[in-house]
Amino acid sequence: MLGVVEAVRERVSLGRGFRWLWAAYAISSFGTRFAFDAFALIAVLVLHAGTGQVALLSAAGLAVGAAVAVPLGPWVEYRRKRPVMIAADLVRCGALLTVPAAYALGRLTFTHLLVVAVVVAAADIAFSSAAGACLKALVPPAGLLTANGRLESTSWTATALGPPLGGAAVGAFGPVVTVAADAVSYLLSAVGIRAIGGGEARPAATASRTAATSRTNANGPGATESGPPRLRARDLADGWRFILAHPDLRPLFLNTVLVSGLIMAAAPPLAVLMLGPLGFAPWQYGLAFALPCLGGLVGARLSPAVVRRHGERAVLRTVGTLRACWSLGLAFVHPGPTGLALVMAVEFGLITCMGVFNPVYATYRLERTPPDRIARTLSAWSVTSKATVAALTALWGLLATVAGPRTAVAAAGLLLLGTPLLLRGVTARPT
């Protein structure tokens, strides 16, 4: 039975609705990558901020945004997902447009940038938690891996093309123009999601929430029978309770959160090392990370075939292990063409593994999450990931200051070697 399901995954029609969702995702992904590091550039070039302020902008934006988004998962769960996604896109668009507007009026401040970063981070989490549920509703179960593979390949394509083009735009017009372009991309994304069309049923509450709603209605004012249940304090931890109690999701959760945190934490020290003591030009630094993104495109397109041949469990454990083995090589970067080639080779291997791993893990997670828990689960996952990235980025910045950037990069690579142990609990896909 498993072989038959896997065999039809590539041939199943994903439908018109998915094509619109895919188009919306492609536009917003490119806009985000086009504006890559725009806030940091604005802080440095326009507001003349120091290194500490730039680090604060990155870490605090993620951390506070994640904290603000904690109640969004349970709130999104009991609402139609497409209106939530459209609202999140419009919030991001509106928040980002205030940056060029304030700049044009001579009123742009560091605090303004920080507030916008927080709003965008929170809206990102709301959007992604609703998007997972929307994807599962739009695509047949046999097409989930193919759909996730296409989204992943789109993400890596945008990552390869967006930053170089954005860098050229910054050089020609200044960093504020890329923020405006990112805002427009969210507006177009909202239009694409609206074009999905068709009806979307109101999500049904779980049995426990239905009972609680009935008691509230019987005892006095509160949630109505036809409306979404009222948010309770204990609901805020529902996503984490479900993940940590699930024998398949718990190891995957711990692995992916730690891996992404360590990879992102090593990025600033590596940038300091390459652009400072090693003397690489900014265009060389950008090239070292743009070209390897083609490996992510290749890996994402290959992931359905790899799963058909070897199965989800084997792919997650094997590719998850390979993914952890590359980053340590970045500690050996040295000046000159061979040093640049080393970074590109390491990044190509890492990103190719991520390209295979990510759509398989996203599909594995959706398959094991009931429809009435997807938003809470994805929100908890995303909040934890962003908070971990923020905390480790700040910690690795301190380590780089004390022990040097090369030591910080090496420490992240060494710790990554232990993360495959967390994948031992991954099991085969349920039939």
Side-chain angles (χ1 to χ4, degrees):
M1 178 63 182
L2 178 60
V4 173
V5 172
E6 299 292 353
V8 300
R9 271 183 160 166
E10 282 270 76
R11 294 194 297 270
V12 69
S13 173
L14 300 181
R16 172 183 176 275
F18 171 75
R19 290 194 293 272
W20 278 112
L21 178 65
W22 188 14
Y25 178 81
I27 293 169
S28 62
S29 294
F30 182 80
T32 299
R33 295 305 179 186
F34 184 75
F36 181 72
D37 272 351
F39 276 23
L41 290 172
I42 292 172
V44 173
L45 300 178
V46 177
L47 302 178
H48 309 292
T51 304
Q53 286 181 300
V54 173
L56 175 65
L57 182 63
S58 176
L62 285 175
V64 180
V68 170
V70 167
L72 291 179
W75 183 85
V76 169
E77 193 73 80
Y78 303 107
R79 283 157 178 83
R80 292 185 177 94
K81 304 305 182 288
R82 278 178 252 165
V84 170
M85 295 163 67
I86 292 172
D89 273 338
L90 295 179
V91 166
R92 291 184 286 189
C93 174
L96 289 170
L97 284 177
T98 66
V99 174
Y103 174 76
L105 296 173
R107 298 294 184 88
L108 185 63
T109 65
F110 181 80
T111 301
H112 187 160
L113 283 183
L114 187 59
V115 171
V116 173
V118 169
V119 171
V120 171
D124 284 345
I125 293 175
F127 183 93
S128 62
S129 62
C134 178
L135 178 65
K136 190 168 183 176
L138 285 176
V139 175
L144 268 179
L145 180 56
T146 299
N148 278 313
R150 291 180 182 178
L151 295 176
E152 182 73 11
S153 63
T154 300
S155 176
W156 287 115
T157 302
T159 304
L161 298 178
L165 294 176
V170 168
F173 307 107
V176 174
V177 71
T178 61
V179 176
D182 192 17
V184 172
S185 77
Y186 287 124
L187 180 61
L188 295 176
S189 171
V191 172
I193 293 166
R194 179 68 179 82
I196 291 175
E200 183 181 359
R202 183 183 295 278
T206 59
S208 61
R209 292 308 306 271
T210 302
T213 300
S214 299
R215 286 195 299 270
T216 301
N217 290 333
N219 294 330
T224 63
E225 291 288 351
S226 59
R230 187 168 56 186
L231 183 63
R232 302 170 299 177
R234 70 181 305 272
D235 296 331
L236 299 181
D238 274 353
W240 286 282
R241 277 195 292 266
F242 175 73
I243 293 169
L244 296 177
H246 198 292
D248 293 334
L249 294 183
R250 183 174 58 250
L252 193 62
F253 171 72
L254 296 174
N255 173 269
T256 55
V257 166
L258 186 56
V259 167
S260 63
L262 289 170
I263 290 174
M264 295 302 295
L270 181 62
V272 170
L273 180 64
M274 292 182 65
L275 296 172
L278 299 183
F280 287 102
W283 71 266
Q284 292 175 310
Y285 175 78
L287 185 67
F289 295 94
L291 283 182
C293 290
L294 298 177
L297 171 62
V298 172
R301 300 300 289 178
L302 289 176
S303 59
V306 175
V307 169
R308 284 199 305 273
R309 183 175 180 86
H310 301 288
E312 281 180 324
R313 177 177 180 270
V315 170
L316 288 174
R317 295 183 67 173
T318 302
V319 180
T321 299
L322 293 174
R323 180 185 56 159
C325 296
W326 292 95
S327 294
L328 184 59
L330 295 173
F332 300 97
V333 61
H334 50 273
T338 57
L340 185 64
L342 171 64
V343 174
M344 294 177 68
V346 169
E347 289 294 325
F348 184 84
L350 171 63
I351 292 173
T352 301
C353 290
M354 292 172 67
V356 176
F357 183 91
N358 288 348
V360 180
Y361 122 73
T363 302
Y364 185 94
R365 181 175 60 182
L366 285 176
E367 288 171 340
R368 284 161 174 75
T369 306
D372 64 345
R373 290 184 178 271
I374 291 177
R376 283 171 289 178
T377 299
L378 297 185
S379 177
W381 208 297
S382 185
V383 165
T384 306
S385 182
K386 288 181 182 293
T388 302
V389 168
L392 291 181
T393 298
L395 182 60
W396 253 252
L398 178 61
L399 177 61
T401 301
V402 173
R406 191 182 296 274
T407 300
V409 172
L414 286 171
L415 289 175
L416 278 165
L417 294 177
T419 57
L421 295 174
L422 296 171
L423 293 174
R424 295 176 65 181
V426 171
T427 62
R429 192 173 68 87
T431 56

